[in-house]
Amino acid sequence: MNDTTLPISKKSNPRRDRPKSQVRKGFGLHDWMNLLRHAKDLAQRRGAPIRRDITPQEVKLHNKPYDGWMILRGKVYNVTPYMAYHPGGDKILIPCLGKDATVLFDKYHSWVNLDGLIGALLLGYVKVEAMRALTEEEEEEEGLSSDNTANGNNDIVMPPASMTTTTTLDSLGFAMPKPRPPRGQPIASLLPMENMEDESEDDAMQL
């Protein structure tokens, strides 16, 4: 080691600086996959078929760590058996119990194969009408948040809803471009009539 070489600091070790997993020993991913292979009824359906009429109101009733349901991409899962195996710990999942956690799941785990990870916990599907209502509520919330951002944080004043597109463009001073002439039409025909008369007089005088 010469004078220009600095010793490697032990504090910069990425393996040592990596946050520790919140999973207890014996509750890792390997243990969960092993449980999936051997367990017969993790979803606790007790022989009942997959349901297609689950409502969000029913899901809200199951919001405890010992009885937790969750909506993910229109499907309802009984995530109670998976709570202890979650890499981030069960404290992250507890606030999502009894709710639709699709947005959070797609934000942090969009690459995860749901069927392969918790497919055995499937209880059924959210009722179609209820799912549409949830989608509309999410779209309304996104619309309100975007309006607040536009009108509040960025100080952008939106035009009144009663104004038409043409009125808005005219008020801002924009002009619509004229259509292009048909192919083969002389360029002189695009000039005003007064300019065409002046050009014809000049040509006659030159002759």
Side-chain angles (χ1 to χ4, degrees), residues 5 11 13 15 25 34 46 52 54 89 96 98 101 105-106 128 144 164-165 194 197 200 206:
T5 304
K11 295 182 180 180
N13 190 338
R15 291 183 177 271
K25 185 177 181 181
N34 189 33
R46 296 181 177 87
R52 298 185 179 274
I54 304 177
C96 301
F105 180 83
D106 289 340
V128 177
L144 290 175
T164 60
T165 305
E194 297 178 357
E197 293 177 357
S200 60
Q206 292 177 2

Side-chain angles (χ1 to χ4, degrees), residues 18-53:
R18 184 183 302 172
K20 295 182 179 180
S21 175
Q22 301 296 325
V23 178
R24 303 191 305 271
K25 185 177 181 181
F27 291 88
L29 179 60
H30 174 76
D31 302 298
W32 171 251
M33 300 306 294
N34 189 33
L35 180 63
L36 289 178
R37 286 191 295 267
H38 294 87
K40 296 182 179 180
D41 188 21
L42 283 177
Q44 301 175 12
R45 295 201 310 266
R46 296 181 177 87
I50 297 294
R51 296 176 53 188
R52 298 185 179 274
D53 58 347

